[in-house]
Amino acid sequence: MQEITSLIQQAEESPAPQTEAIARKAISLLNHYYPNNSDPQTTLFRGQLLDLLAYGLAYRGQIDSALLWCDSAYRLLRAHGHIEKALEVKGNLAYYYHLQGKIPTAISIHKEVAALAQAYKKRDMLFYTYHNLASIFQEIGLPDSAIVLYKKALLIADTLNDLGKRSYTLSNLAVIYENLQLYDYALKYAWEVLKTRLIQKDSTNLSNTYATIARLHESQGNLDSAIIYARKAYLTAEQINHSLSKATAAALLGVFFITLQKWDSAHHYFQVNLRIRSKLSPIEQFKAYVAIANFYQRWAESFPPHQRQPLLYKALEYIERAHKIGLKEIYDASSLENFYLNAYKIYESISDYEKAYKFHQIYISLRDSLRSSATQRKAIESKYQYEWLQEERKLREEMLRQQITAQEKQKRQQLWIGFFAVLAFILGVAGAALFHLYRRTRQQRNQIIRQKAEIEHSYTIISQQHEELTKSLRYARRIQQALLPSIEAVQSLPFPQALWYQPQGEVGGDFYWIRDLGQGKYLLILGDCTGHGVPGGFMTVLSITLIEKALEIENFQDLPSLARFLHENFIHFLHGDHSEGLRDGMEGSFVLLNLIQGTIQILNAGATAWWMDKNGEIHELSDSGPGLGEAHIPPESLKWGIHELYVDEVRRLTLATDGVRDQLNPNRKKWGRKGWREALQKAFLAPPSEAIHLLRQEWENHRKSMPQIDDISVWMIDLPPLSNKIA
């Protein structure tokens, strides 16, 4: 038994790659010497070893196996009364579900652990569980829920009088408020961290706390206070000889002195930062080179253009050093993007166009990769938030159902009691019967009052649920708007255009998308996905993600290949092997403008587009292939053609989803193609923004008091003459 105890301790203290092998060896010994022993000590050891085995498997990426062994450890420990260890293992189980991407399951298990820890008064366990839950909510974009949990953890730390736990929690609160740009709140908690660490005499972390306070003061525009606390961070790190903290404070002071244009002071602190970090890891060296290169660039900008070159060449010396490290050692794409953008600008300013082009290409690659990753991350956060809100709604409904069941049971018991009471009253004397009859009437009146109160309470609950649903839909709308191109991106197109985007509800199934392909080429897409509301919104998320993947990863350059890729992926993601007769997917118009060659290619997948010539005559471009994702279409019909036009012959191009033409009036008649074409004709001479306004007026005059029945998207584009084409 002593050998097994030693192996457990060794497994707990060893690096993660060695944990699995040590745990397996100890399990083998335990099974050999104590195969059927179920005494408390043996079962505790067996549960601990299964938990350690799960940890080793999770480190190797074997999450499914880790879940299996961790669950077995939890059941074994709970069955034999090892409650505290069982709770710890259950917390690990939640962590593995988190790694597997099952966020609602992980949250539910963490909440169960919190409830059990509270019941058994395991405050340490409750503290760390609140932190685990808060980190998940922060990860999926629910900072308000994370803040509530961190504050609960802070109360536990204060109850335990544990200054380490208190400073750890306060630091997390300061970080989350800083990320939300609520600097007053962030500074409030940073001050609390400082007070706590001064009481602890925690010199190691004190320098970092001073640096955080300095950074927050700078964010509020209090530069004098920022410099004071940055110097305190610098001196504290110097006193305890903590080199990395000293370098961090020096870099911070350098940035502040750049703002004040005190170049000698800034240069001194950036040199300190460079001396320290150049002796550390490649990542720290990269940070130092980038910082001092940015300093020389900013210093150069303070001189007239003809005096800048010496400082710019000094900046380039460190840019080249950072470049040798960057793509090999640095995995933060955002930091690399900013670095290569600055490098490109400096080389361009000294007319070294060859290197400027090289660094610009790297920057473009990193920027597009970040955009694609951001789109996917937003889609995943949206999915997790929706799943958790659905899970919470189900829990509330179940609690309400149990409450109603209990109330009904109580009413039945009251009725039976009343029945036997009445029977006894009838058998009694007349006076007693009358007395009991009076009491029963009073009870019925009270019961009616209680039932009325219960109905009013149920109505209140339903109203609250309706309000929560409305808030969720508004949040879904913000998420969808974040995925669509910004107004600035649409307005940056080099030709007059206007967009009418009006979902039927808070979120919709229509979307628009643009991409500058370079060399005068622009790809415009107007899509109409299956469904409205939240289902339609999720379809737009899937559509935009697939389009980004097609261009960023598959690098499609022609419209039919792009349409086929989207169609096949819709079939794969939405229908799987059960695709007969299903019509989920999207219809839409894909437009490829080449302003250098003066050509327009249009692919209509189940959609229609219109163009007007110089004389105002309307030409209709019918669908050039089926809608995307329609599983009932036979393979031989899966072809998409292209309408080809020339810029010089097109005065205006109009894309629209069918929601605008399908709108009903009070007589239940659609606006239809005739009303649509007449409105286009009336608006021909007006600029796109005014033409859209005229279209909306005609549409409103048609529908009058009728509600909107579908999502509406109209995109009107005036193309420049070929003489104004982009080079």
Side-chain angles (χ1 to χ4, degrees):
M1 192 66 78
Q2 185 176 358
E3 184 179 359
I4 294 170
T5 304
S6 176
L7 286 171
I8 291 174
Q9 184 177 357
Q10 184 182 347
E12 289 175 340
E13 296 174 355
S14 296
Q18 301 173 18
T19 303
E20 181 185 352
I22 299 170
R24 289 187 183 279
K25 179 180 178 182
I27 290 171
S28 177
L29 286 173
L30 192 65
N31 290 336
H32 177 73
Y33 291 113
Y34 309 98
N36 301 312
N37 198 333
S38 59
D39 66 85
Q41 188 64 49
T42 305
T43 53
L44 176 62
F45 282 170
R46 187 168 275 112
Q48 286 179 289
L49 288 168
L50 291 176
D51 182 43
L52 288 166
L53 176 60
Y55 174 73
L57 290 166
Y59 174 79
R60 290 200 295 111
Q62 304 293 321
I63 307 301
D64 290 337
S65 299
L67 278 168
L68 176 66
W69 290 114
C70 189
D71 185 61
S72 299
Y74 168 68
R75 293 176 186 276
L76 177 67
L77 292 166
R78 186 186 62 179
H80 289 84
H82 303 293
I83 302 300
E84 187 169 355
K85 189 61 183 178
L87 280 178
E88 182 183 331
V89 172
K90 192 165 188 176
N92 294 340
L93 189 66
Y95 173 69
Y96 299 143
Y97 275 116
H98 183 186
L99 291 180
Q100 201 178 44
K102 296 181 178 179
I103 300 298
T105 304
I107 293 173
S108 297
I109 294 175
H110 275 311
K111 286 197 168 186
E112 290 175 14
V113 173
L116 290 169
Q118 197 163 21
Y120 289 108
K121 298 182 179 179
K122 304 294 183 183
R123 291 177 179 173
D124 278 344
M125 177 66 66
L126 188 59
F127 174 83
Y128 291 113
T129 303
Y130 282 152
H131 271 271
N132 291 335
L133 273 170
S135 66
I136 294 177
F137 282 126
Q138 195 172 351
E139 178 183 325
I140 65 174
L142 294 173
D144 291 341
S145 300
I147 288 169
V148 170
L149 289 163
Y150 280 135
K151 288 182 177 179
K152 287 184 177 181
L154 184 60
L155 287 174
I156 294 173
D158 289 341
T159 303
L160 295 172
N161 198 24
D162 189 324
L163 296 179
K165 287 184 173 65
R166 175 178 171 80
S167 60
Y168 173 57
T169 308
L170 289 168
S171 297
N172 285 332
L173 281 166
V175 168
I176 199 170
Y177 278 118
E178 184 179 7
N179 291 338
L180 292 171
Q181 297 183 352
L182 298 173
Y183 299 118
D184 288 338
Y185 287 102
L187 196 56
K188 167 189 169 185
Y189 286 107
W191 275 112
E192 290 297 323
V193 175
L194 178 61
K195 292 177 185 176
T196 306
R197 285 180 171 159
L198 286 171
I199 295 170
Q200 285 180 280
K201 298 181 179 179
D202 182 4
S203 302
T204 305
N205 291 309
L206 195 58
S207 174
N208 294 333
T209 306
Y210 281 132
T212 299
I213 293 173
R215 192 173 61 249
L216 291 170
H217 275 300
E218 192 269 341
S219 299
Q220 292 182 313
N222 301 326
L223 198 57
D224 291 339
S225 298
I227 291 173
I228 289 170
Y229 284 99
R231 279 178 169 155
K232 286 187 177 183
Y234 183 84
L235 293 173
T236 303
E238 197 169 43
Q239 287 172 1
I240 63 173
N241 197 26
H242 196 288
S243 57
L244 187 56
S245 296
K246 181 178 177 181
T248 301
L252 207 55
L253 282 164
V255 171
F256 296 161
F257 282 120
I258 285 177
T259 305
L260 294 173
Q261 295 191 344
K262 294 184 177 180
W263 304 109
D264 291 338
S265 298
H267 182 261
H268 166 73
Y269 284 111
F270 279 119
Q271 286 292 337
V272 172
N273 178 50
L274 179 64
R275 283 197 302 272
I276 295 172
R277 293 186 191 266
S278 61
K279 300 174 184 178
L280 302 177
S281 66
I283 294 175
E284 299 302 326
Q285 293 174 25
F286 177 81
K287 291 178 182 177
Y289 297 150
V290 170
I292 200 163
N294 290 341
F295 160 72
Y296 281 120
Q297 181 187 7
R298 293 287 301 277
W299 196 4
E301 290 170 356
S302 69
F303 288 93
H306 65 278
Q307 297 179 9
R308 293 178 180 175
Q309 281 205 350
L311 290 172
L312 290 177
Y313 279 114
K314 196 70 176 174
L316 290 174
E317 174 188 341
Y318 291 102
I319 281 175
E320 288 296 337
R321 293 187 191 182
H323 173 58
K324 292 177 182 178
I325 298 172
L327 294 177
K328 295 180 182 178
E329 301 286 346
I330 308 302
Y331 301 103
D332 181 359
S334 178
S335 299
L336 288 173
E337 179 194 19
N338 293 331
F339 166 67
Y340 283 108
L341 176 61
N342 285 337
Y344 149 68
K345 289 179 179 178
I346 295 174
Y347 275 115
E348 186 181 42
S349 68
I350 63 169
S351 302
D352 190 340
Y353 297 113
E354 181 179 351
K355 287 193 176 180
Y357 176 77
K358 169 187 172 183
F359 282 104
H360 187 261
Q361 290 298 104
I362 299 174
Y363 159 69
I364 291 295
S365 174
L366 289 165
R367 184 199 65 185
D368 292 346
S369 174
L370 276 172
R371 286 180 179 175
S372 177
S373 299
T375 300
Q376 293 175 6
R377 185 173 63 255
K378 287 177 182 176
I380 291 169
E381 286 180 359
S382 168
K383 172 178 176 291
Y384 286 156
Q385 289 172 5
Y386 177 75
E387 286 179 353
W388 175 241
L389 290 173
Q390 289 293 97
E391 188 72 20
E392 280 195 327
R393 182 181 62 80
K394 289 177 182 177
L395 290 172
R396 286 195 298 269
E397 288 176 352
E398 178 62 22
M399 290 174 64
L400 182 59
R401 186 188 65 78
Q402 291 176 0
Q403 184 180 2
I404 292 171
T405 302
Q407 290 172 349
E408 290 176 348
K409 183 179 178 181
Q410 183 180 5
K411 289 178 183 178
R412 286 196 298 270
Q413 290 174 347
Q414 290 174 348
L415 288 172
W416 278 108
I417 292 170
F419 171 76
F420 287 115
V422 170
L423 184 61
F425 298 157
I426 294 173
L427 296 175
V429 296
L434 289 173
F435 173 77
H436 286 297
L437 182 60
Y438 164 75
R439 191 170 69 173
R440 183 185 176 197
T441 303
R442 188 175 61 182
Q443 288 175 342
Q444 288 176 337
R445 183 188 63 189
N446 293 338
Q447 186 176 358
I448 290 170
I449 293 171
R450 286 197 300 272
Q451 289 174 338
K452 180 182 177 183
E454 290 168 0
I455 291 170
E456 290 174 350
H457 179 64
S458 299
Y459 176 79
T460 302
I461 292 174
I462 292 169
S463 299
Q464 290 173 348
Q465 290 176 340
H466 179 266
E467 183 180 355
E468 289 173 2
L469 178 60
T470 303
K471 288 181 180 177
S472 299
L473 287 173
R474 288 174 183 164
Y475 192 77
R477 180 182 183 182
R478 291 201 299 272
I479 292 171
Q480 186 182 46
Q481 288 176 340
L483 293 174
L484 295 173
S486 64
I487 294 175
E488 292 78 10
V490 175
Q491 291 176 345
S492 68
L493 293 172
F495 39 79
Q497 48 81 38
L499 182 66
W500 174 16
Y501 179 74
Q502 183 172 315
Q504 182 192 8
E506 291 289 342
V507 292
D510 285 5
F511 73 95
Y512 56 94
W513 191 88
I514 58 174
R515 171 57 66 87
D516 182 356
L517 301 176
Q519 299 180 345
K521 292 182 180 179
Y522 296 87
L523 177 61
L524 314 180
I525 301 174
L526 188 67
D528 182 358
C529 297
T530 307
H532 320 294
V534 173
F538 274 112
M539 286 294 297
T540 64
V541 171
L542 176 61
S543 302
I544 292 171
T545 303
L546 290 175
I547 292 169
E548 292 279 359
K549 179 182 177 183
L551 295 175
E552 302 295 343
I553 300 175
E554 306 296 340
N555 197 25
F556 288 114
Q557 293 296 322
D558 66 289
L559 297 182
S561 298
L562 176 59
R564 180 169 293 278
F565 173 83
L566 295 176
H567 175 79
E568 291 172 353
N569 277 273
F570 277 130
I571 295 294
H572 172 71
F573 284 110
L574 298 176
H575 308 315
D577 296 328
H578 306 286
S579 59
E580 309 250 333
L582 294 175
R583 295 175 180 267
D584 294 334
M586 67 166 277
E587 297 175 346
S589 296
F590 298 72
V591 180
L592 182 60
L593 297 176
N594 190 327
L595 297 182
I596 293 179
Q597 297 181 1
T599 61
I600 311 171
Q601 294 184 354
I602 303 172
L603 186 152
N604 287 324
T608 307
W610 296 264
W611 66 278
M612 304 178 75
D613 58 26
K614 311 298 182 182
N615 299 319
E617 184 177 352
I618 300 175
H619 304 269
E620 183 172 305
L621 301 175
S622 60
D623 61 80
S624 52
L628 309 179
E630 297 184 4
H632 66 285
I633 299 175
E636 58 270 19
S637 300
L638 290 176
K639 297 178 181 178
W640 291 273
I642 293 176
H643 301 287
E644 294 195 6
L645 303 171
Y646 291 94
V647 170
D648 276 345
E649 68 182 346
V650 178
R651 170 69 174 77
R652 173 171 291 167
L653 176 65
T654 303
L655 312 177
T657 58
D658 56 12
V660 66
R661 288 173 282 120
D662 289 345
Q663 178 62 46
L664 301 175
N665 66 8
N667 296 325
R668 311 296 294 178
K669 290 185 179 180
K670 294 183 178 181
W671 198 25
R673 291 179 179 272
K674 181 180 178 183
W676 166 252
R677 291 174 68 94
E678 288 175 354
L680 287 178
Q681 194 73 52
K682 287 181 182 178
F684 169 65
L685 295 176
S689 58
E690 295 180 15
I692 287 289
H693 179 69
L694 292 172
L695 277 177
R696 293 186 71 162
Q697 284 184 330
E698 292 293 327
W699 180 80
E700 292 287 353
N701 291 338
H702 166 76
R703 76 157 179 155
K704 294 183 173 63
S705 60
M706 289 294 287
Q708 182 179 337
I709 65 170
D710 197 0
D711 303 320
I712 292 175
S713 298
V714 179
W715 204 344
M716 191 171 287
I717 303 157
D718 280 1
L719 295 170
L722 192 59
S723 59
N724 296 335
K725 66 184 180 179
I726 295 176

